[in-house]
Amino acid sequence: MTSNDMQQDDPRRSEAAEAGAAQAQTEANAQNGSATAEAQPDALAAMTAERDALKDRALRTLAEMENLRRRTEREVADARTYAVTNFARDMLTVADNVRRALDSVPAEARASAEGALKGLIEGIELTERDLGKTLERHGVKAVEPEGQRFDPNRHQAMFEVPNPDVPAGTVVQVMQSGYVIGDRVLRPALVGVAKGGPKAGAADQA
């Protein structure tokens, strides 16, 4: 083969090589495109799962913050209402002593009292009223359960009284007044309870 023949064959070989390279590039691009298409759904699913996880975490955080806010408000309100509990309980002793002072004066002597004695009695009564109003301003209220049904959460039974005229379990005598502060019992009332009458349920139905 002469040098002229080799020169004539070279262009054909070059074209074949270029065609083969182009086909290989096309196949490579097709494979890359297929791999990219397969990877896109996986990436989208991962991003969606991450978004849902972040959204759930944000909602949980908001719910926890709301619960914390409500709990804090409730604790602050309780602190305001019950901050004076110990002091109020001590003041009940003063209220009891004032009441005992008044009860120690016979009704006849109180009715016929004059001068300094009358002024003293009226002063003690005024002190008792003012003390009761002061306690009420701080959420402390007296409980007078006479005639009500016995409630073990608010009353303490000291004795039973046979009384067929009222339903059994009715408070018929109060030995010592009870007190509540807010919704809590500060001191239960000491009471006497009826025994032997009709049952409270039957009396209510009648």
Side-chain angles (χ1 to χ4, degrees):
M1 181 179 294
T2 65
S3 59
N4 292 332
D5 294 336
M6 293 178 64
Q7 290 176 356
Q8 291 176 357
D9 291 343
D10 286 342
R12 290 194 296 273
R13 291 178 182 177
S14 176
E15 291 176 357
E18 291 177 356
Q23 183 176 359
Q25 183 65 36
T26 301
E27 292 176 355
N29 291 338
Q31 291 178 355
N32 291 336
S34 176
T36 302
E38 292 177 356
Q40 285 179 350
D42 294 339
L44 180 60
M47 293 175 64
T48 301
E50 183 178 2
R51 180 204 65 189
D52 292 342
L54 291 173
K55 182 179 179 180
D56 181 69
R57 187 181 305 171
L59 291 175
R60 289 177 181 273
T61 301
L62 289 174
E64 290 176 359
M65 292 299 293
E66 180 64 17
N67 291 335
L68 177 61
R69 183 186 66 80
R70 292 178 180 176
R71 185 166 59 251
T72 302
E73 289 179 351
R74 186 167 57 250
E75 290 175 353
V76 170
D78 287 348
R80 289 199 192 101
T81 302
Y82 304 113
V84 298
T85 296
N86 292 333
F87 176 74
R89 188 175 289 114
D90 292 339
M91 290 303 295
L92 297 185
T93 303
V94 178
D96 291 340
N97 290 335
V98 172
R99 173 41 48 184
R100 291 190 188 101
L102 290 173
D103 291 342
S104 66
V105 180
E108 298 82 3
R110 186 181 304 182
S112 61
E114 295 180 357
L117 178 59
K118 184 178 180 180
L120 177 61
I121 294 173
E122 291 177 350
I124 296 175
E125 290 175 341
L126 179 62
T127 300
E128 183 182 42
R129 287 195 299 270
D130 286 345
L131 179 58
K133 291 178 181 179
T134 300
L135 290 173
E136 286 186 4
R137 281 200 301 271
H138 293 279
V140 180
K141 297 181 180 180
V143 176
E144 295 292 347
E146 187 169 353
Q148 299 178 6
R149 189 172 182 179
F150 176 76
D151 182 356
N153 297 316
R154 288 175 172 257
H155 313 146
Q156 182 176 343
M158 303 301 293
F159 53 86
E160 290 184 319
V161 179
N163 189 339
D165 297 331
V166 296
T170 301
V171 176
V172 293
Q173 188 174 349
V174 179
M175 304 297 295
Q176 185 181 72
S177 298
Y179 286 85
V180 295
I181 178 169
D183 296 327
R184 300 178 185 176
V185 175
L186 186 61
R187 186 181 74 183
L190 305 183
V191 301
V193 183
K195 175 184 178 182
K199 292 184 178 180
D204 292 341
Q205 293 176 0

